Amino acid sequence: MRGSGTVLVERYRLEERLSGPDSVQGSLWRAIDVMAGDLPVAMRQLETPAAQQRLLGVWPQLQTLLHPQLPRCGEFFELDGALWLVRDWQDGIAYEVLLRQKRFSADEVLLLLRQVLPVLSVLHGSGLVHGDLNPRHLLRRSSDGLPVLLEGGRLQRYGVTPIDAPWSDLHDLGVTALGLLSGTAHHGGGLPEHLEVDSGFRQVLERLLSAAPERRFDEAAEVLRALESVVLPASTTELAVPARTRRASAREQGAEGLLWPVVIALGLSALAGSAIGWFLLPRSSPADTAPDHAAQQPAVSLPPEELDQRQQLFTRLRALQVDRGWFINLVDASQLSSESLEDARLRRVWTQLAEEWLARIEQLPPAIRAELGRLRAGDWQQPREALLKQGVHPMVVEHLVSAGAQDHLPVTMRGRKPAEPFRQLWIAAAMQSLDDVEIVRLKARPLKPTKTSLRIPAGGARLVLVEVPAGDDLALDIDGTPLMQMMVFGANGMVVEQLHPLRVVRIAAAAGSPLQVLVTNEGVSSGVFTLSCRADPLNQ
């Protein structure tokens, strides 16, 4: 039984159990990442096989799902039969707590819906359903007042059950809205007649709450369109929480973990991104501009705080030697917003997106980073050809490129080359992932194990080519850190063992030779793994 003070995988120190244990949702912990300067994180512990299988099926996708109002999902690992999932922590107050303090006006709830629906669009656009949207899993972020949608442990793909569809999340959002309007928790039902709301808003809420399939909304974007005609008073553009409410709820606000404010979903068009970018940075590249002091003059009058943020972004761009025009196009193309929000709020979201992109770009080597905006398709072909000449199968190379791109691009672009300006990052990721691979060759001998120990840098990979005598099975044993994963490819480039934590496997002779074993290190520090292989003749 693990409790407060326990350190997992020499990295995460458990501080406090916030909920659970539960057979479906497991336990939620507040923890400290001791390898990242004691950064607070949220960790979900799952112990039942069904819950583990369900979240393992969606977690890799969640890791690449990006939006400023979704907590970024980190690594996962198995330990003593339990599955642990790591995600960001963010300060804020759950709407479940706010509901005990006040009743929300119709205008406040209308604004909340307009802020949450784009987040649901991102989730649903990736084929995922939240499954448990309620005031407990909506948190009002302290830093900017925006609502954050928290992962509640019931995430699922479409169609697993009849209720695993976008309409179920939209219905839950309607129930949440009804609860905030009435001041009490609700579990369904219609909209009471005594609630004073705009007639257009009432119609939308009634459709959200309806059990009739013909009245349901099919997608979040449809709800947003229906809300366009409902007027949002200026007084509701900031949802202020009384100071006494924040103090009274301070000890309750940690019931969830959150941010690593994130970026993107190309499935939605950029309604206002380009206009916002003009507020923040000049549109041309450093080589095209006047001297810095002239280029930094704002196009419009900005508050001092925003002007300071703009200056910081400009300074970081210069330090990273990133083409300014390309970068601004990148953020503009990533913008997720609603025209109903006032300009100041749109600019804050744009700035969050810009900061997240900068954090991703910083991970690229300086030489590649400086070429963003000018990379061409042929730039990644040279390392590709070098690997092919060493006997690496083209399908293994393709997997390496795809895996590298997932660290820099959203899930909507998985498995394809995206359009510009995102294609620049795809090419950069391909160059980096192929340059970082080191190849080791081993010969498996009958009955006698062949062993080797290798170090993998943080975020790096090792590819081991194992020659197996014709007709022999292969016994493969890899021992490393909990943050290492492996995938085994047959001689034809097909996957014979899916990505999973390191373990002992047996590969049938039909997989051919050489087998190509890819080992990756998903941790933040280097680690050593040991590989042992043995050929097993079938006639022995």
Side-chain angles (χ1 to χ4, degrees):
M1 190 70 177
R2 301 187 182 275
S4 300
T6 302
V7 178
L8 307 178
V9 296
E10 301 181 351
R11 177 169 183 176
Y12 301 106
R13 184 175 71 243
L14 301 180
E15 295 288 299
E16 179 184 5
R17 188 194 298 266
L18 302 172
S19 66
D22 178 87
S23 61
V24 176
Q25 296 172 296
S27 298
L28 185 67
W29 292 83
R30 177 172 58 85
I32 295 295
D33 185 346
V34 298
M35 296 181 65
D38 286 349
L39 183 73
V41 296
M43 301 186 68
R44 189 171 295 280
Q45 175 190 14
L46 299 172
E47 298 187 283
T48 63
Q52 293 178 0
Q53 182 178 6
R54 176 172 47 79
L55 274 186
L56 270 179
V58 301
W59 199 261
Q61 188 169 353
L62 288 172
Q63 290 174 317
T64 57
L65 193 60
L66 303 172
H67 188 277
Q69 291 161 248
L70 282 174
R72 183 172 176 181
C73 297
E75 65 180 351
F76 61 89
F77 55 89
E78 294 183 49
L79 190 63
D80 297 335
L83 176 67
W84 293 84
L85 307 157
V86 184
R87 58 183 171 84
D88 285 351
W89 179 273
Q90 180 180 329
D91 289 332
I93 304 175
Y95 277 81
E96 179 184 49
V97 176
L98 294 175
L99 186 58
R100 297 199 290 267
Q101 305 292 333
K102 59 174 286 184
R103 177 182 296 183
F104 287 74
S105 69
D107 298 332
E108 289 176 317
V109 175
L110 173 59
L111 177 59
L112 177 67
L113 294 185
R114 284 175 166 169
Q115 293 171 334
V116 172
L117 284 164
V119 187
L120 284 179
S121 290
V122 174
L123 196 67
H124 296 162
S126 299
L128 299 176
V129 179
H130 186 277
D132 198 19
L133 200 162
N134 58 56
R136 177 176 177 80
H137 296 137
L138 279 174
L139 184 134
R140 187 178 186 275
R141 192 160 58 204
S142 299
S143 60
D144 58 12
L146 288 173
V148 176
L149 181 61
L150 307 172
E151 170 274 315
R154 292 180 180 269
L155 277 158
Q156 187 59 276
R157 296 189 186 278
Y158 286 3
V160 176
T161 71
I163 64 170
D164 289 327
W167 71 262
S168 62
D169 280 348
L170 297 175
H171 178 270
D172 289 346
L173 183 61
V175 173
T176 297
L178 176 57
L180 296 176
L181 287 168
S182 63
T184 58
H186 278 262
H187 302 284
L191 191 66
E193 291 295 331
H194 69 272
L195 285 180
E196 298 182 3
V197 296
D198 176 273
S199 60
F201 191 20
R202 176 178 285 275
Q203 292 176 9
V204 173
L205 289 174
E206 288 175 344
R207 287 189 63 185
L208 287 172
L209 295 168
S210 176
E214 65 274 10
R215 295 202 65 199
R216 295 171 183 161
F217 289 103
D218 292 326
E219 56 183 25
E222 185 182 359
V223 187
L224 273 174
R225 289 192 295 269
L227 290 174
E228 286 179 356
S229 61
V230 183
V231 178
L232 180 65
S235 61
T236 63
T237 55
E238 293 293 338
L239 292 180
V241 178
R244 62 178 179 274
T245 301
R246 292 196 297 269
R247 288 194 298 269
S249 305
R251 62 179 177 275
E252 300 178 77
Q253 67 184 17
E256 278 293 347
L258 293 359
L259 189 72
W260 267 331
V262 197
V263 192
I264 206 168
L266 274 185
L268 298 178
S269 61
L271 296 177
S274 297
I276 299 165
W278 280 99
F279 282 120
L280 294 173
L281 290 171
R283 317 306 293 177
S284 54
S285 301
D288 307 318
T289 63
D292 289 346
H293 68 276
Q296 295 173 28
Q297 296 303 314
V300 296
S301 177
L302 296 177
E305 181 180 355
E306 291 188 42
L307 193 59
D308 181 61
Q309 290 177 331
R310 176 180 176 279
Q311 175 64 34
Q312 291 180 29
L313 283 173
F314 184 84
T315 301
R316 290 178 66 191
L317 276 176
R318 281 192 310 178
L320 294 174
Q321 297 182 318
V322 175
D323 183 286
R324 187 190 310 142
W326 169 81
F327 177 78
I328 295 171
N329 289 336
L330 176 74
V331 183
D332 286 349
S334 309
Q335 177 67 38
L336 287 172
S337 60
S338 169
E339 292 176 322
S340 62
L341 299 181
E342 91 280 21
D343 288 343
R345 187 176 296 276
L346 289 175
R347 293 197 299 269
R348 283 200 296 271
V349 173
W350 195 97
T351 302
Q352 287 180 328
L353 295 175
E355 289 175 347
E356 176 60 24
W357 277 121
L358 281 176
R360 287 169 171 258
I361 291 170
E362 284 175 334
Q363 300 172 19
L364 292 170
I368 297 178
R369 194 166 60 212
E371 293 300 315
L372 289 172
R374 298 182 294 274
L375 293 174
R376 299 290 180 265
D379 292 335
W380 72 280
Q381 291 297 328
Q382 183 175 354
R384 177 182 183 273
E385 293 300 322
L387 289 177
L388 295 180
K389 288 179 180 179
Q390 296 182 68
V392 181
H393 196 279
M395 294 183 69
V396 179
V397 175
E398 181 179 331
H399 174 81
L400 285 167
V401 171
S402 298
Q406 289 178 19
D407 293 335
H408 297 85
L409 293 170
V411 69
T412 52
M413 302 176 192
R414 180 180 297 175
R416 62 184 176 88
K417 294 181 184 178
E420 296 288 1
F422 303 99
R423 179 168 295 188
Q424 293 291 303
L425 286 173
W426 188 94
I427 296 173
M431 295 170 64
Q432 181 184 22
S433 60
L434 298 185
D435 283 340
D436 286 347
V437 176
E438 292 191 17
I439 298 177
V440 178
R441 299 178 184 276
L442 292 179
K443 288 187 177 181
R445 295 172 294 182
L447 305 179
K448 185 176 181 180
T450 301
K451 284 189 177 184
T452 186
S453 292
L454 301 168
R455 179 172 292 276
I456 308 181
R462 291 287 184 270
L463 187 60
V464 183
L465 305 186
V466 182
E467 295 184 18
V468 187
D472 287 0
D473 289 350
L474 178 72
L476 189 64
D477 181 5
I478 302 183
D479 184 26
T481 73
L483 304 180
M484 291 182 182
Q485 306 272 328
M486 80 168 178
M487 182 176 283
V488 183
F489 298 83
N492 60 358
M494 302 301 293
V495 177
V496 295
E497 279 293 330
Q498 293 290 338
L499 186 68
H500 51 58
L502 307 178
R503 62 182 178 89
V504 178
V505 294
R506 186 178 183 86
I507 310 297
S513 178
L515 294 174
Q516 306 190 17
V517 183
L518 179 63
V519 182
T520 58
N521 179 10
E522 299 179 0
V524 297
S525 60
S526 65
V528 175
F529 78 95
T530 300
L531 182 148
S532 174
C533 59
R534 185 188 71 243
D536 286 345
L538 296 180
N539 57 1
Q540 294 293 323

